[in-house]
Amino acid sequence: MKKASIIMIIGSLLLLGLFKFPLWNIMLGAPQYPDPLGMNIYIDGIKGVSEFDLQNIDGLNHYIGMKTIPKAGEMWEFSMFPKVIFGMALLGIIIGVLGFLDKVSYKFFLGWFILMSVLGILGMYDFNNWLVDYGGNLDPHAIIKVTNPDGSPMSYKPPLIGFKKLLNFDVTSLPHTGGYLMFVGMSLTLVAFWLGRKTSVKKTT
Amino acid sequence: MKNIITSSIAMLVILIGFTSCNKGNNSGGKSGALASNVAERVYVAPGEYDSHYAFLSGGYSGNVTVYGLPSGRMFKEIPVFSQFPTSGYGYSEETKPMLNTSHGFIPWGDAHHPDISQSKGELDGRWLFINENNTPRIARLSLTTFETEEIIEVPNSAGNHSSSFVTENTEYVVAGTRFSVPIPQRDMPIKDYKGNFQGALSFISVAPETGNMDIKFQILMPGFNYDLSHPGRGKSHGWFFFTTYNTEEASTLLEVNASQNDKDFIAAINWKKIEDYVNNGGGTMIPANYAHNVYDDETHTATSTMKKEVRVVNPIDVPGAVYFIPTPKSPHGCDVDPSGEYIVGNGKLSANLTVHSFTKMLDAIEKEKFAGEAYGIPILNFEDVLAGVVEQPGLGPLHTEFDGKGNAYTTFFISSEVVKWKLGTWEVIDRKPTYYSVGHLTIPGGNSGKPQGKYMFAMNKITKDRYLPTGPEMEHSAQLYDISGDKMELLLDFPTHGEPHYAAAMEASIIKEQSQKIYKLADNKHPYAAKSDADTKVVREGKEVHIYLTTIRSHFSPDNIEGIKVGDKVYFHVTNLEQDFDVPHGFAVIGQNNSELLVMPGQTKTSVWEPKQVGVWPFYCTDFCSALHQEMQGYIRVSAADSDTPIKWSLGEDIE
């Protein structure tokens, strides 16, 4: 159980990587952009991959009437996410420490994982909603209007994850370092649960 | 029987293959027919980069053109000494001071010899220097921004030809005068030239960090014509060599009168000795009047300062600093090999090529073996200094470059060829016709201690054919040779702009990485910059109106301007808000008497417009910038001189 608790603590600590590294990355490449434009999504705001990428993405997007990329103060998520991540990391560490002291059972590890997964799914859902709004809620005065074959206005929503072709741009959306650290951390808490369970089962038999 | 037929057909096919290959590329046969696909060796596929940059002087265009090698593609023309309506250089208020001189504003120049800055004898890719021949000046270009950053006028000089070559750590860039003149300038009979005219050789110091130039001293030499020059390097670092012609000191019909002496001189200058002398207070400050123009990257503005004196040195006051080496006959090029030992004096009227030895020169100086003196300057014995002679290599030798492998390449104007010969043995190894009348040639790094001897290109003076005719005037041409093998191979002809004299070239790797793509708006310290639409305004100051204008795809802000009156002097200060590589915006207003502007991302430029007629006049972006480029326009209302139309400006007000 001690080993499982240490893994639980390490897993929770890995969440803190999100305070340094981006959670997600969206790249926009096109033949006339040999250096693709890109944005890194951090839990507290969006930054360009290169210094002026956001300004240049906004510049391109204004033709089709997309809103500018939100600043940190313009979305409640960017003040809430850091609190949630910090809280979950802290909670995980507390659970790990308590497990180490045999104050709580390994089942709390799973509990933490389920809670984190639910929050993560909610986060992804929220992120997707934002992408839908960002890519579809266009200025009616937009100077270029492109419609789908059925006549409906085209959405410029970037993919939640993976690759999509938007007009001439190749858009790739993938987790970034912080995101991977979080996934590894969450997996570790599952490992902790499994290890904890194994030792506990051993003890009882 | 069948076999015999088949094999003879096969033989025939092979033979045809070989002969047609040989016909096609005329290769030296060094590495066989299959390896000599010339087109492939100059082909740079779309999206790939050339391996070398070449900076060609534009001669009477006054500018520098940037080429890629081996493709021969021209990438850019950098305005230096000439107004350039393409970008507004020399027309915009910020850049007009760059062309200021003691003779006032000069809108053109005759640019000759570019040279890249060096550190420890190797090209470092920081700056490019180039001389202006007609109104003596030296310019420094940044190889980060590819812009002209500084121009210094050279007083007491006339025909700034033997420049702008730099010493091996860019301590100095020299400016030797082609024409000797009265110093100081005065009214006197021209027939009294002999003994009264002097030639100024200027040593311009270069600040190691900023590159800023300053004339450290001028050596007032006898009244010969100082044609070309090169710094010593390696063992001869600390010396500079200048070819002379007209040691006859004739002032008329020089074609004949300056070609009488069997030998002219190479002036060998121990600049370190003179530098010491000057650092210890030697030399005399004399009145002078010359412009020093510096462009600031942050204010995007040039300032011109008139300097009032210059330090001159009389060579006989510094014993052991200046010597004359006799060199046949009217030598033109003066080239020093990478080791610094050999000084090649190309006597353009001589049948042979003369090479002097630096070691022998020092030896003769030490033993004080002099043949005489000219105006107090010791003349060395020709034979004492001679390293060797390349016998009868061609007609009319001009310039020599080196490949770093012990070989030299000399151009011959009259016989129109490049001749490769070996240093030390003086034997001719190879020769290739240039098909034109050739002038200079360049090997990347060939003017440094470390040449990159893969390519050589010859720049031609008279271009009779080889391209589609374009009327009586054609652009000049360059020819690119592969010199990596024993024999030179002609790879490519490519047209050049203006009349390229010399060129400087180097591997692309260093310059490419440091090249600046935009100006950061945050660093823009232009006093009239508007860094966002909120900063835009129109301010009247008496009869002057200052318009703080911004550009971004695809509008001007403001785009409706009122309250301007006939007789006003209207300053359009245009700031480009873009922060994206290669998204300039242009600015032009109807009836503009100067030029349009091309404003780079993050930059501010100013154009003056003096409306002479009442009306509502359009202005627009001249550089296609986006899908809405054509809509990037505005109006300026001009009222009568006595009207009371108030100043007013707006953007997008009447929408919805």
Side-chain angles (χ1 to χ4, degrees):
Chain A
M1 187 61 185
K2 285 208 167 12
K3 205 196 258 176
S5 303
I6 289 168
I7 291 173
M8 178 68 202
I9 293 168
I10 292 170
S12 309
L13 278 171
L14 285 178
L15 258 58
L16 298 177
L18 283 168
F19 286 89
K20 170 124 179 80
F21 303 107
L23 171 68
W24 218 266
N25 167 271
I26 300 178
M27 296 303 292
L28 301 108
Q32 78 273 31
Y33 280 88
D35 297 324
L37 299 169
M39 50 180 150
N40 283 329
I41 299 161
Y42 291 78
I43 51 170
D44 59 350
I46 301 174
K47 284 185 190 157
V49 171
S50 299
E51 191 176 359
F52 299 107
D53 279 2
L54 292 192
Q55 178 179 335
N56 294 326
I57 292 169
D58 283 341
L60 288 169
N61 287 350
H62 100 278
Y63 293 123
I64 47 175
M66 282 167 91
K67 285 192 284 289
T68 54
I69 297 161
K71 306 268 179 305
E74 291 168 0
M75 278 174 72
W76 63 266
E77 285 90 341
F78 292 133
S79 55
M80 182 56 74
F81 282 4
K83 288 176 192 149
V84 171
I85 294 297
F86 184 74
M88 283 307 291
L90 191 67
L91 185 64
I93 293 163
I94 291 169
I95 293 172
V97 170
L98 290 177
F100 191 86
L101 302 170
D102 283 332
K103 299 276 199 247
V104 297
S105 97
Y106 66 91
K107 287 177 183 158
F108 276 79
F109 299 172
L110 183 66
W112 183 93
F113 177 81
I114 290 168
L115 178 60
M116 186 64 206
S117 300
V118 170
L119 289 172
I121 289 162
L122 284 175
M124 296 283 275
Y125 176 73
D126 182 72
F127 179 46
N128 194 56
N129 276 350
W130 173 71
L131 288 178
V132 169
D133 181 63
Y134 178 67
N137 187 3
L138 305 174
D139 183 349
H141 293 297
I143 44 203
I144 298 175
K145 291 190 177 77
V146 187
T147 51
N148 295 314
D150 66 359
S152 60
M154 190 170 189
S155 163
Y156 300 95
K157 177 192 171 297
L160 181 64
I161 184 161
F163 171 86
K164 193 174 169 188
K165 190 111 184 143
L166 286 176
L167 299 181
N168 64 327
F169 275 90
D170 295 326
V171 185
T172 313
S173 173
L174 288 173
H176 208 285
T177 314
Y180 290 122
L181 286 174
M182 181 181 76
F183 295 138
V184 171
M186 286 176 67
S187 311
L188 283 181
T189 65
L190 258 191
V191 171
F193 163 71
W194 174 77
L195 258 182
R197 185 164 176 273
K198 216 167 81 176
T199 43
S200 143
V201 170
K202 252 186 210 160
K203 259 184 208 165
T204 48
T205 50
Chain B
M1 188 63 194
K2 203 177 164 192
N3 271 345
I4 292 171
I5 292 173
T6 323
S7 55
S8 357
I9 289 174
M11 284 295 285
L12 207 60
V13 168
I14 289 166
L15 277 175
I16 289 168
F18 269 104
T19 41
S20 56
C21 271
N22 286 339
K23 245 188 220 161
N25 55 46
N26 195 21
S27 81
K30 168 196 64 127
S31 35
L34 290 176
S36 55
N37 186 337
V38 168
E40 227 166 59
R41 280 146 64 192
V42 298
Y43 180 68
V44 178
E48 288 179 7
Y49 297 113
D50 278 283
S51 62
H52 292 76
Y53 284 99
F55 300 92
L56 277 65
S57 75
Y60 39 65
S61 89
N63 295 338
V64 166
T65 45
V66 185
Y67 281 79
L69 300 179
S71 71
R73 299 178 292 189
M74 184 181 127
F75 297 141
K76 188 176 192 174
E77 179 166 7
I78 307 174
V80 185
F81 297 111
S82 293
Q83 278 180 304
F84 197 58
T86 303
S87 65
Y89 178 87
Y91 292 100
S92 73
E93 292 305 295
E94 291 83 0
T95 52
K96 276 182 191 167
M98 290 302 278
L99 303 182
N100 190 39
T101 73
S102 63
H103 306 273
F105 180 82
I106 294 191
W108 78 284
D110 182 14
H112 272 249
H113 310 117
D115 205 14
I116 297 169
S117 57
Q118 298 184 21
S119 302
K120 294 180 183 157
E122 292 183 29
L123 304 187
D124 58 29
R126 291 181 295 166
W127 305 301
L128 183 84
F129 298 90
I130 188 163
N131 58 321
E132 202 272 277
N133 191 47
N134 179 61
T135 308
R137 287 174 281 178
I138 300 280
R140 179 177 57 81
L141 281 63
S142 159
L143 294 184
T144 304
T145 58
F146 288 69
E147 299 273 351
T148 305
E149 283 190 337
E150 189 175 2
I151 294 178
I152 192 164
E153 192 184 355
V154 186
N156 299 325
S157 188
N160 175 31
H161 196 266
S162 39
S163 56
S164 56
F165 303 104
V166 299
T167 52
E168 72 175 25
N169 296 300
T170 322
E171 293 98 337
Y172 292 99
V173 49
V174 301
T177 191
R178 173 177 160 197
F179 308 112
S180 283
V181 288
I183 297 177
Q185 273 290 7
R186 58 194 179 273
D187 180 13
M188 64 178 280
I190 299 168
K191 68 174 176 52
D192 296 343
Y193 179 125
K194 200 164 190 166
N196 289 315
F197 283 32
Q198 285 177 296
L201 305 181
S202 307
F203 282 72
I204 299 168
S205 61
V206 179
E209 292 301 317
T210 59
N212 283 132
M213 300 187 289
D214 188 26
I215 301 177
K216 178 104 171 177
F217 56 85
Q218 294 188 314
I219 308 168
L220 296 189
M221 297 286 286
F224 312 149
N225 289 33
Y226 297 86
D227 199 3
L228 273 163
S229 66
H230 262 92
R233 57 176 62 96
K235 62 171 82 169
S236 52
H237 177 56
W239 289 77
F240 230 107
F241 304 94
F242 294 81
T243 46
T244 68
Y245 64 95
N246 193 23
T247 48
E248 298 85 350
E249 294 184 75
S251 67
T252 182
L253 194 62
L254 260 62
E255 178 184 354
V256 173
N257 293 332
S259 305
Q260 295 304 308
N261 288 349
D262 184 45
K263 292 188 177 66
D264 292 285
F265 297 128
I266 285 179
I269 312 263
N270 185 338
W271 59 259
K272 279 217 164 139
K273 207 159 210 164
I274 298 177
E275 184 185 53
D276 281 347
Y277 170 75
V278 165
N279 285 344
N280 290 318
T284 320
M285 296 304 284
I286 63 164
N289 191 28
Y290 59 105
H292 183 209
N293 312 327
V294 180
Y295 181 81
D296 182 322
D297 238 349
E298 293 193 328
T299 61
H300 302 289
T301 303
T303 45
S304 179
T305 314
M306 293 309 295
K307 295 203 163 187
K308 294 297 172 196
E309 52 179 13
V310 69
R311 184 177 298 273
V312 295
V313 173
N314 185 340
I316 59 172
D317 292 341
V318 197
V322 182
Y323 299 92
F324 285 133
I325 309 170
T327 305
K329 180 180 181 183
S330 299
H332 187 58
C334 176
D335 301 288
V336 180
D337 85 303
S339 73
E341 167 63 13
Y342 297 120
I343 303 131
V344 183
N346 297 316
K348 60 182 186 269
L349 306 177
S350 167
N352 297 336
L353 202 61
T354 309
V355 186
H356 299 298
S357 156
F358 178 71
T359 311
K360 283 187 170 180
M361 183 193 89
L362 284 192
D363 192 50
I365 290 171
E366 201 182 325
K367 292 183 178 136
E368 297 191 354
K369 288 169 75 181
F370 302 130
E373 61 170 47
Y375 295 100
I377 295 168
I379 301 170
L380 296 160
N381 282 304
F382 176 71
E383 293 76 16
D384 290 345
V385 181
L386 189 69
V389 169
V390 185
E391 299 278 356
Q392 308 265 346
L395 291 176
L398 291 182
H399 302 284
T400 302
E401 290 260 306
F402 307 90
D403 64 4
K405 293 176 275 194
N407 302 306
Y409 300 73
T410 302
T411 53
F412 289 82
F413 180 81
I414 298 171
S415 52
S416 288
E417 59 188 335
V418 178
V419 173
K420 176 181 178 178
W421 51 276
K422 197 160 185 59
L423 288 159
T425 68
W426 324 118
E427 61 185 323
V428 171
I429 296 169
D430 190 22
R431 60 176 69 240
K432 279 282 178 295
T434 51
Y435 300 96
Y436 303 95
S437 301
V438 65
H440 273 273
L441 79 171
T442 297
I443 291 172
N447 184 28
S448 74
K450 202 182 167 194
Q452 300 140 18
K454 179 164 169 52
Y455 297 114
M456 176 272 290
F457 57 99
M459 285 154 281
N460 302 301
K461 298 295 186 193
I462 297 165
T463 308
K464 287 204 185 298
D465 52 40
R466 310 272 284 188
Y467 302 121
L468 292 172
T470 55
E473 196 208 345
M474 305 186 81
E475 292 287 17
H476 286 283
S477 185
Q479 297 190 301
L480 179 73
Y481 298 80
D482 184 328
I483 56 163
S484 56
D486 297 334
K487 301 283 180 187
M488 297 176 269
E489 283 183 87
L490 177 59
L491 298 180
L492 184 71
D493 285 0
F494 59 96
T496 59
H497 188 52
E499 187 204 334
H501 288 258
Y502 192 41
M506 74 178 288
E507 281 168 349
S509 51
I510 295 177
I511 297 174
K512 183 172 155 274
E513 294 313 315
Q514 72 182 25
S515 172
Q516 187 172 327
K517 296 183 169 177
I518 59 164
Y519 294 98
K520 278 194 189 176
L521 202 54
D523 296 338
N524 181 331
K525 296 195 173 73
H526 191 290
Y528 290 97
K531 294 198 200 180
S532 75
D533 284 359
D535 298 336
T536 58
K537 58 188 171 184
V538 180
V539 180
R540 176 176 283 286
E541 290 166 11
K543 288 223 147 214
E544 284 186 2
V545 179
H546 292 272
I547 302 173
Y548 297 64
L549 197 71
T550 62
T551 60
I552 196 155
R553 283 164 285 183
S554 320
H555 64 262
F556 289 97
S557 179
D559 67 357
N560 279 195
I561 299 163
E562 303 190 358
I564 311 302
K565 296 175 204 172
V566 169
D568 281 346
K569 200 167 186 182
V570 180
Y571 291 84
F572 286 97
H573 305 288
V574 186
T575 304
N576 183 350
L577 300 181
E578 305 282 355
Q579 296 284 264
D580 194 2
F581 186 25
D582 193 39
V583 188
H585 288 293
F587 172 83
V589 58
I590 199 168
Q592 208 169 1
N593 292 112
N594 38 34
S595 139
E596 53 98 48
L597 300 176
L598 203 60
V599 191
M600 297 305 125
Q603 199 178 37
T604 304
K605 283 186 185 176
T606 302
S607 185
V608 169
W609 182 63
E610 297 177 73
K612 294 169 192 74
Q613 297 170 44
V614 165
V616 179
W617 306 104
F619 56 88
Y620 72 100
C621 171
T622 47
D623 183 7
F624 198 105
C625 58
S626 77
L628 282 304
H629 158 74
Q630 211 64 359
E631 286 78 359
M632 189 164 171
Q633 61 183 51
Y635 284 108
I636 184 161
R637 175 181 167 193
V638 177
S639 306
D642 57 355
S643 77
D644 50 6
T645 316
I647 289 277
K648 212 179 130 202
W649 67 93
S650 65
L651 168 73
E653 260 180 17
D654 50 358
I655 300 261
E656 47 238 307

